[in-house]
């Protein structure tokens, strides 16, 4: 009932030329992929090139961040309208690297989620605990606070369009994946909390796992009931490994 989503976050990698050569290799590899939504999140500078090249392929394009204001004197920022104009349909919001290095808070994440939804784009809303928080036994408290903070004042009518991405910070770029059981525990907790927020409508919310996802571990992660897809970093930079993840079935 929930169509799986495999999203690739390029982070601060790839020029437009490198994006073009990635797509030349990647698109033929996934042309026959069925029953999965594929999303690519290039850096801002490559969004329009990627959107142009994926047209007709079913692959969707996401940004990695966005500003919540409609427009204004915000040097260095990019608005939702600009993203739509460039061809993006999704926005990654609240990635732990943005929370860690750019002082994103649950409040700014919430403003971004609300603006993006109001504009008809889809937020890919990220949350997850640090190693310290996990070791202190605070994982569930931390993700609950992030979840409710990020989704504050979003109704059951529009909320379920959000894609949630659980990315334990200790598993990002470390090669240390959460076990499928560790991930499932948090995903089922998040689904239960979403139910509190939005009732039955929360059944349709896709919850992705992110953190060292690779072709070797995608199958066991996707076998879990509440894992509806993946947000991939390092392993999405090469066409063949990302295509293998997309075609995990
Ligand atoms: P890695 O797959 O490199 O661990 O990165 C995950 C991530 O942060 C995706 O947004």
């Amino acid at each position: 009932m929930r169509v799986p989503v495999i999203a690739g976050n390029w982070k601060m990698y790839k020029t437009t030329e490198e994006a073009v050569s990635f797509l030349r290799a990647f698109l033929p590899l996934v042309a026959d992929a069925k029953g999965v939504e594929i999303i690519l999140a290039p850096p801002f500078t490559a969004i329009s090139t990627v959107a142009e090249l994926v047209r007709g392929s079913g692959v969707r394009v996401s940004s990695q961040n966005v500003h919540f204001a409609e427009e204004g004197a915000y040097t260095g920022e990019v608005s939702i309208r600009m993203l739509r104009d460039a061809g993006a349909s999704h926005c990654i919001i609240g990635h732990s690297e943005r929370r860690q290095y750019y002082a994103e808070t649950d409040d700014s994440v919430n403003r971004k989620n609300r603006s993006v939804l109001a504009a008809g784009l889809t937020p890919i809303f990220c949350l997850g605990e640090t190693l310290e928080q996990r070791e202190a036994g605070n994982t569930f408290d931390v993700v609950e606070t992030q979840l409710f903070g990020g989704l504050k004042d979003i109704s059951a009518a529009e909320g379920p369009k959000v894609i949630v991405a659980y990315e334990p910070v200790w598993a990002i770029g470390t090669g240390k994946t959460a076990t499928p059981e560790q991930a499932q525990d948090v995903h089922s907790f998040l689904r239960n909390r979403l139910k509190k927020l939005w009732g039955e409508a929360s059944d349709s919310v896709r919850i992705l796992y992110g953190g060292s996802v690779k072709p070797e571990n995608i199958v066991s992660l996707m076998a879990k009931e509440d894992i509806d897809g993946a947000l991939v970093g390092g392993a999405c930079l090469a066409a063949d490994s990302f295509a293998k993840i997309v075609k995990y079935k």
Side-chain angles (χ1 to χ4, degrees), residues 17-218:
E17 202 181 315
E18 288 161 350
V20 171
S21 60
F22 172 93
L23 289 171
R24 280 207 187 109
F26 178 69
L27 291 177
L29 292 174
V30 298
D32 59 348
K34 285 193 189 69
V36 59
E37 268 177 46
I38 308 169
I39 303 172
L40 280 174
F44 288 132
T45 47
I47 287 180
S48 60
T49 302
V50 171
E52 188 91 4
L53 289 175
V54 301
R55 194 172 294 155
S57 70
V59 174
R60 313 295 297 275
V61 182
S62 176
S63 66
Q64 301 172 16
N65 181 34
V66 68
H67 199 279
F68 48 76
E70 212 174 299
E71 58 185 1
Y74 298 108
T75 302
E77 293 291 321
V78 173
S79 74
I80 297 168
R81 220 171 113 234
M82 293 166 190
L83 290 180
R84 193 207 301 281
D85 179 53
S89 53
H90 293 64
C91 300
I92 295 176
I93 294 176
H95 192 281
S96 63
E97 287 152 14
R98 297 221 47 96
R99 292 177 189 258
Q100 187 181 349
Y101 305 129
Y102 304 100
E104 292 244 12
T105 61
D106 290 339
D107 184 54
S108 65
V109 168
N110 177 242
R111 292 170 83 169
K112 292 178 183 198
N113 278 335
R114 283 189 288 150
S115 299
V116 165
L117 278 172
L121 274 71
T122 303
I124 302 174
F125 161 41
C126 304
L127 46 78
E129 82 288 1
T130 62
L131 185 59
E132 250 183 338
Q133 291 165 331
R134 174 163 284 263
E135 286 177 345
N138 294 332
T139 297
F140 293 112
D141 285 347
V142 168
V143 298
E144 177 170 30
T145 301
Q146 291 174 330
L147 187 79
F148 288 159
L151 298 177
K152 194 165 154 271
D153 296 332
I154 296 175
S155 72
E158 56 175 0
K161 291 178 206 138
V162 174
I163 297 173
V164 175
Y166 168 58
E167 298 205 312
V169 178
W170 48 271
I172 296 178
T174 57
K176 211 172 153 184
T177 329
T179 64
E181 292 70 29
Q182 281 174 320
Q184 167 61 22
D185 279 353
V186 178
H187 282 230
S188 78
F189 173 80
L190 291 171
R191 192 167 317 279
N192 173 284
R193 301 287 76 197
L194 286 170
K195 201 157 265 178
K196 182 173 169 206
L197 213 54
W198 296 329
E200 295 307 310
S202 60
D203 284 344
S204 62
V205 177
R206 271 86 58 89
I207 308 179
L208 316 185
Y209 168 78
S212 298
V213 173
K214 302 178 198 69
E216 295 74 34
N217 56 30
I218 184 69

